[in-house]
Amino acid sequence: MPTTRGPTKRGPTKRLPTKRLPLLPAERALKVISGRWKAVILYHLFDGPRRLSVLKTLVPDITQKVLIQQLREMEEHGLVRREIFAEIPSRVEYSATRLGLSLEPILLALCEWGQHHADELNEMNRLANCIIRPRQARQPAIA
């Protein structure tokens, strides 16, 4: 029977050194969230911790290599936390940090602006639905 000793966390002292980021704050923000899949991965982590296999299922078009690379970059930039549970077999979960969760309204605003941009250029028919929605719209109504 597997034994659980509890999660082990990488604290700030063990964080990988952040690559040199731009000095201009807007450019820094764009660099940290850039990447085709980061917003999609974060969206799925906004609701709570997820295992790698679950993330791969939720984002089927991403390769496992790219998924791991994007998660590592977000971990390096403090957006995602990786927890390794001392179990047999071991279990790893990814979750959004407080800093990562603070991106939710920003990603929503970017989604809305993208819709506005497509509307202005008469390209709404080419647009996919936004997956970023306000938290209260994603929670089921309590009867």
Side-chain angles (χ1 to χ4, degrees):
M1 182 187 277
T3 59
T4 304
R5 286 186 246 149
T8 58
K9 297 182 183 182
R10 280 193 206 172
T13 57
K14 291 187 179 182
R15 182 177 291 157
L16 300 171
T18 304
K19 293 177 185 169
R20 195 165 179 80
L21 290 171
L23 298 177
L24 184 64
E27 187 180 5
R28 180 184 180 106
L30 290 171
K31 178 77 172 171
V32 168
I33 64 171
S34 69
R36 177 175 178 192
W37 301 107
K38 286 182 183 174
V40 177
I41 295 166
L42 272 174
Y43 165 78
H44 292 295
L45 294 178
F46 287 156
D47 287 331
R50 307 272 189 183
R51 294 180 77 168
L52 185 69
S53 58
V54 173
L55 286 170
K56 179 65 180 99
T57 302
L58 293 169
V59 190
D61 293 337
I62 193 172
T63 65
Q64 184 150 333
K65 177 185 174 185
V66 172
L67 175 59
I68 291 168
Q69 177 186 5
Q70 298 281 275
L71 284 164
R72 285 183 182 158
E73 287 178 19
M74 289 190 290
E75 183 181 7
E76 178 182 341
H77 292 122
L79 306 179
V80 169
R81 177 178 40 258
R82 179 176 181 247
E83 291 185 56
I84 304 168
F85 292 82
E87 299 176 350
I88 299 172
S90 63
R91 177 171 52 107
V92 178
E93 286 185 347
Y94 294 89
S95 57
T97 62
R98 198 167 73 226
L99 185 60
L101 289 169
S102 73
L103 282 168
E104 187 173 27
I106 295 164
L107 293 177
L108 174 62
L110 283 172
C111 183
E112 290 170 348
W113 187 88
Q115 289 173 324
H116 171 71
H117 181 263
D119 190 40
E120 288 292 317
L121 298 178
N122 294 318
E123 295 181 347
M124 285 297 286
N125 61 329
R126 297 184 53 213
L127 212 56
N129 289 329
C130 280
I131 62 165
I132 306 292
R133 291 179 182 81
R135 188 169 299 275
Q136 62 272 15
R138 287 188 277 131
Q139 293 177 345
I142 298 173

